[in-house]
């Protein structure tokens, strides 16, 4: 056969015959099967191509035989991969023999019978349990394929939408959460408007009445009301700032040696006269000392919040607080005989913006912030309560023993720039760009010291060189030149001059920056006379 010629294929049969006269013959019967072989090869290639396509499309594809109890005739690769049931286990078997959950098989059979009855295509969403126990979600299309000489076959095509459904559910949850957050923030802003305006109303109102007070008792009453509402307003602002740090994940926590007993005694002195008439405040650890290493400000914040809440809702009886050491942890508690908390509210008491009494002052943030603080330490926080009998708020923190020496060292480290030979302070340079702030400082300490006033960092540097003050009160944020830069320049002239940062910046990082710039101490605005005198006392020591 020459090159390029088509090769013929034949089917040949030979037969040996003997005639009557004993003549022997061989008959050859030959059939040209070239076309038959060609079509068979084409059919095989087509089947391989079709099988390759069906096994690589990302949808389930299967065929059942309704005449043979709906046994599977075909089960593609996508179905095997998602269900974790190989085709070898599926072909020739029914749903009841394949799927691990009988309820799935029963549902599939009902759908198959309905398709046979109506001959109408079925399009639906369904779920089934895979061999791994995982629930899969699919969008399924079932139809009948007519066959010549027999009943039609059932073909099913399914798209696995499990991941899409999960994403959709997550989006729904995110939308619901966003809507809830929006409602909470709206409620929070409305609450803040009320809570801020209430003490402001008292502060502004009684400040206007103060000059017209006719008696000393009246003047003291007005001043007391102004001071009380100022403390309430300051706590509101602190809560809002703490919330912003929680949202940003930047809540600061600085561990240092501290005496828990001493902190409790200080808090007791502050709160013993703040409880309502007829209520007794009791400290169970009045004479105990316990040295631990934690953030004293944050621990005091949680204890104070517990006592403040107890004071609001305890009208008679007692409020008892203290701590116990158990199994290398400290359990602190505040137990009151107040109105108690309803059982359905206890689980939400530490959530943000939650106020069980809408008429009580507060942001609804204090306990949520307490939970954040305690959880950051690695402790637990909780409450037990009974309506009409009172509540016990508690938290536990890991107990790590510290030493008095480390406390002394820690306190000394904060005043590392103070000279041991400082002369008595007479003249103070106040670097402050806001007039009212300087007037406030002047009224606090102006009778005891001679005050110089610089309105920015440049003036502070020049006035230091000209007048040589004994101490500097340095605001951090000022026009032209800030307080930190001015402090660095002044430090180039003198290492001895005490510099106290007096600023509205309240974060621990701000304090560290001030100390690094050369400040000896750090007092946060709004400043009280007691805090200012304490800072001055350190520098006079």
């Amino acid at each position: 056969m020459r090159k390029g010629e088509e090769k013929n294929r034949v089917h040949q049969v030979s037969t040996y015959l003997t005639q009557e006269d004993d003549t022997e013959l061989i008959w050859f019967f030959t059939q040209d099967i070239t076309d038959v072989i060609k079509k068979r090869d084409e059919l095989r290639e087509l089947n391989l191509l079709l099988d390759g396509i069906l096994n690589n499309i990302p949808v389930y594809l299967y065929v059942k035989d309704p005449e043979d109890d709906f046994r599977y005739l075909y089960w593609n690769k996508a179905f095997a991969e998602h269900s974790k049931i190989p085709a070898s286990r599926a072909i020739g078997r029914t749903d009841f023999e394949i799927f691990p959950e009988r309820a799935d098989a029963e549902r599939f059979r009902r759908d198959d019978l309905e398709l046979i009855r109506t001959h109408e295509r079925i399009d639906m969403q369904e779920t089934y349990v895979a061999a791994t126990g995982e629930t899969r979600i699919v969008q399924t299309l079932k139809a009948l394929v007519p066959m010549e000489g027999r009943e039609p076959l059932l073909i099913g095509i399914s798209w696995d939408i499990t991941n899409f459904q999960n994403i959709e559910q997550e989006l729904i949850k995110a939308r619901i959460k966003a809507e809830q957050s929006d409602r909470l923030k709206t409620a929070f802003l409305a609450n803040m408007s009320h809570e801020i305006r209430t003490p402001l109303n008292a502060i502004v109102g009684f400040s206007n009445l103060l000059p017209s007070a006719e008696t000393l008792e009246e003047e003291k009453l007005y001043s007391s009301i102004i001071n009380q509402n100022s403390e309430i307003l300051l706590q509101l602002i602190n809560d809002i700032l703490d919330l912003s740090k929680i949202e940003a994940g930047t809540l600061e926590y600085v561990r240092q040696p501290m005496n828990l007993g001493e902190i409790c005694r200080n808090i007791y002195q502050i709160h013993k006269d703040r409880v309502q008439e007829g209520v007794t405040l009791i400290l169970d650890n009045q004479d105990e000392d316990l040295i631990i290493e934690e953030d004293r400000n944050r621990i005091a914040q949680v204890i104070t919040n517990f006592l403040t809440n107890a004071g609001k809702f305890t009208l008679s009886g007692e409020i008892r607080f203290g701590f116990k050491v158990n199994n290398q942890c400290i359990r602190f508690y505040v137990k009151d005989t107040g109105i108690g908390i309803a059982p359905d509210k206890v689980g939400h008491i530490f959530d943000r913006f939650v106020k069980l009494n809408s008429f009580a002052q507060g942001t609804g943030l204090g306990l949520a912030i307490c939970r954040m603080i305690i959880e950051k330490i690695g402790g637990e926080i909780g409450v037990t309560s009974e309506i009409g009998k009172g509540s016990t708020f508690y938290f536990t923190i890991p107990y790590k023993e510290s030493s008095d020496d480390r406390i002394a060292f820690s306190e000394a480290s904060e005043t590392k720039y103070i000279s041991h030979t400082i002369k008595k302070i007479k003249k103070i340079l106040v670097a402050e760009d806001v007039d009212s702030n300087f007037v406030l400082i002047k009224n606090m300490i102006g009778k005891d010291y001679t005050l110089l006033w610089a309105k920015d960092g440049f003036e502070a540097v020049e006035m230091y060189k000209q007048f040589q003050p004994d101490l500097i009160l340095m605001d951090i944020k000022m026009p032209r030149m800030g307080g930190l830069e001015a402090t660095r320049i002044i430090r180039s002239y003198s290492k001895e001059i005490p510099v106290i940062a007096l600023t509205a910046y309240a974060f621990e990082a701000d304090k560290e920056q001030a100390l690094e710039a050369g400040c000896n101490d750090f007092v946060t605005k709004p400043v009280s006379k007691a805090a200012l005198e304490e800072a001055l006392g350190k520098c006079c020591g």
Side-chain angles (χ1 to χ4, degrees):
M1 181 174 292
R2 295 188 183 92
K3 184 177 180 180
E5 291 184 354
E6 187 175 346
K7 188 175 183 179
N8 292 327
R9 304 290 294 275
V10 296
H11 179 259
Q12 182 173 287
V13 178
S14 58
T15 304
Y16 180 79
L17 299 175
T18 303
Q19 296 186 1
E20 293 180 356
D21 58 359
D22 294 330
T23 303
E24 295 178 351
L25 297 173
I26 297 176
W27 287 83
F28 292 93
F29 297 92
T30 301
Q31 179 184 8
D32 190 331
I33 60 171
T34 302
D35 291 338
V36 174
I37 296 297
K38 183 178 180 181
K39 291 185 182 299
R40 185 191 67 187
D41 292 342
E42 289 175 350
L43 183 60
R44 182 185 296 114
E45 290 177 2
L46 184 61
N47 286 338
L48 289 173
L49 177 63
L50 184 60
D51 190 59
I53 293 172
L54 297 180
N55 272 322
N56 284 283
I57 58 175
V59 296
Y60 302 0
L61 184 64
Y62 55 89
V63 179
K64 296 180 182 179
D65 187 356
E67 288 187 347
D68 190 14
D69 197 24
F70 293 95
R71 295 182 186 276
Y72 283 91
L73 299 176
Y74 185 77
W75 181 283
N76 79 335
K77 186 176 179 181
F79 204 168
E81 288 178 347
H82 284 93
S83 68
K84 306 304 179 186
I85 301 171
S88 59
R89 268 185 52 198
I91 294 175
R93 292 180 173 85
T94 68
D95 291 321
F96 294 96
E97 298 171 307
I98 296 171
F99 290 96
E101 293 291 330
R102 184 173 180 82
D104 291 340
E106 290 175 349
R107 188 174 64 256
F108 297 155
R109 179 58 59 91
R110 286 195 300 270
D111 294 337
D112 294 344
L113 291 173
E114 179 66 15
L115 178 61
I116 294 297
R117 186 183 69 82
T118 63
H119 279 243
E120 292 184 1
R121 186 175 66 183
I122 297 176
D123 192 352
M124 61 189 170
Q125 188 178 109
E126 55 187 355
T127 62
Y128 73 92
V129 178
T132 59
E134 178 188 15
T135 299
R136 308 295 302 182
I137 307 170
V138 293
Q139 186 70 35
T140 298
L141 176 66
K142 287 185 178 182
L144 294 176
V145 179
M147 301 295 292
E148 194 172 325
R150 56 154 297 159
E151 291 295 321
L153 297 177
L154 186 152
I155 184 171
I157 301 174
S158 297
W159 293 264
D160 194 294
I161 59 173
T162 306
N163 294 336
F164 294 108
Q165 285 290 315
N166 292 338
I167 293 171
E168 183 179 354
Q169 290 301 315
E170 290 298 322
L171 289 173
I172 291 173
K173 290 178 182 178
R175 176 178 58 80
I176 294 173
K177 186 176 181 180
E179 291 173 352
Q180 290 175 340
S181 178
D182 187 58
R183 286 195 297 270
L184 285 172
K185 287 180 179 178
T186 300
F188 170 70
L189 290 174
N191 186 44
M192 285 303 94
S193 176
H194 174 269
E195 295 300 329
I196 290 173
R197 288 175 184 275
T198 299
L200 268 181
N201 180 62
I203 293 169
V204 173
F206 283 98
S207 295
N208 291 330
L209 289 175
L210 192 59
S212 61
E214 297 180 355
T215 65
L216 183 61
E217 288 74 17
E218 221 175 36
E219 184 177 329
K220 287 182 178 179
L221 175 62
Y222 294 169
S223 297
S224 176
I225 293 173
I226 292 170
N227 289 336
Q228 290 174 8
N229 283 274
S230 296
E231 290 181 8
I232 292 169
L233 185 60
L234 180 59
Q235 185 58 51
L236 288 171
I237 293 170
N238 286 336
D239 283 348
I240 295 170
L241 291 175
D242 278 344
L243 174 66
S244 68
K245 287 185 280 186
I246 290 172
E247 294 286 354
T250 59
L251 186 68
E252 296 168 331
Y253 196 89
V254 181
R255 283 183 168 87
Q256 59 184 5
M258 56 173 275
N259 187 332
L260 183 58
E262 182 183 348
I263 288 176
C264 289
R265 288 190 289 273
N266 291 339
I267 292 174
Y268 171 78
Q269 291 298 324
I270 294 171
H271 284 267
K272 67 179 181 178
D273 297 324
R274 294 185 178 181
V275 295
Q276 301 193 43
E277 187 175 353
V279 178
T280 304
L281 181 63
I282 301 170
L283 172 58
D284 289 335
N285 306 88
Q286 186 67 49
D287 300 319
E288 293 184 42
D289 288 315
L290 182 64
I291 309 303
I292 61 175
E293 189 167 337
E294 295 293 349
D295 187 321
R296 61 180 297 140
N297 293 331
R298 293 300 181 187
I299 294 295
Q301 180 179 352
V302 177
I303 297 171
T304 299
N305 193 283
F306 281 5
L307 287 174
T308 302
N309 281 343
K312 288 179 185 178
F313 304 109
T314 305
L315 307 179
S316 63
E318 66 180 31
I319 300 172
R320 182 181 294 272
F321 74 105
F323 56 86
K324 295 179 181 179
V325 178
N326 289 316
N327 300 322
Q328 295 185 334
C329 76
I330 302 169
R331 186 180 190 273
F332 189 93
Y333 58 89
V334 174
K335 184 177 182 180
D336 64 60
T337 57
I339 61 176
I341 305 169
D344 61 326
K345 304 293 185 183
V346 170
H348 302 286
I349 195 70
F350 293 103
D351 292 346
R352 298 177 188 178
F353 312 115
V354 171
K355 290 183 66 179
L356 301 186
N357 184 348
S358 59
F359 294 99
Q361 285 185 318
T363 61
L365 292 173
L367 290 176
I369 293 169
C370 289
R371 183 180 66 178
M372 177 72 178
I373 292 170
I374 297 304
E375 288 179 351
K376 188 164 185 176
I377 301 172
E380 296 180 356
I381 193 169
V383 60
T384 59
S385 184
E386 189 174 348
I387 289 291
K389 294 186 177 180
S391 306
T392 299
F393 282 82
Y394 64 89
F395 65 83
T396 62
I397 57 175
Y399 175 41
K400 295 180 180 179
E401 195 170 355
S402 187
S403 67
D404 290 315
D405 292 340
R406 294 181 65 186
I407 292 179
F409 176 78
S410 175
E411 291 175 349
S413 65
E414 293 189 3
T415 57
K416 58 186 178 180
Y417 286 100
I418 296 179
S419 168
H420 294 290
T421 59
I422 291 180
K423 59 184 178 180
K424 184 172 177 61
I425 296 173
K426 296 180 180 179
K427 185 166 48 179
I428 297 176
L429 171 61
V430 181
E432 172 61 65
D433 62 305
V434 179
D435 296 7
S436 59
N437 287 342
F438 175 74
V439 172
L440 177 62
I441 294 171
K442 184 177 180 180
N443 281 274
M444 286 180 176
I445 61 174
K447 293 180 180 179
D448 302 317
Y449 305 96
T450 300
L451 301 185
L452 307 172
W453 185 15
K455 293 188 176 183
D456 59 47
F458 280 112
E459 286 189 12
V461 173
E462 294 303 317
M463 292 180 74
Y464 167 75
K465 291 190 292 185
Q466 181 179 354
F467 298 104
Q468 294 294 304
D470 301 316
L471 182 142
I472 301 173
L473 293 177
M474 183 71 74
D475 186 25
I476 298 299
K477 185 177 181 180
M478 294 184 291
R480 295 207 297 167
M481 180 189 290
L484 296 183
E485 186 178 353
T487 300
R488 292 188 185 97
I489 295 173
I490 291 172
R491 278 280 172 247
S492 68
Y493 298 114
S494 171
K495 302 294 183 184
E496 304 298 326
I497 177 73
V499 180
I500 299 174
L502 195 64
T503 177
Y505 290 112
F507 294 164
E508 189 67 26
D510 301 317
K511 181 177 181 180
E512 291 175 0
Q513 289 177 3
L515 294 176
E516 288 175 1
C519 295
N520 303 96
D521 206 349
F522 186 94
V523 178
T524 304
K525 296 177 183 177
V527 64
S528 66
K529 184 177 181 180
L532 185 55
E533 288 178 345
E534 181 183 356
L536 293 174
K538 288 182 183 180
C539 295
C540 291

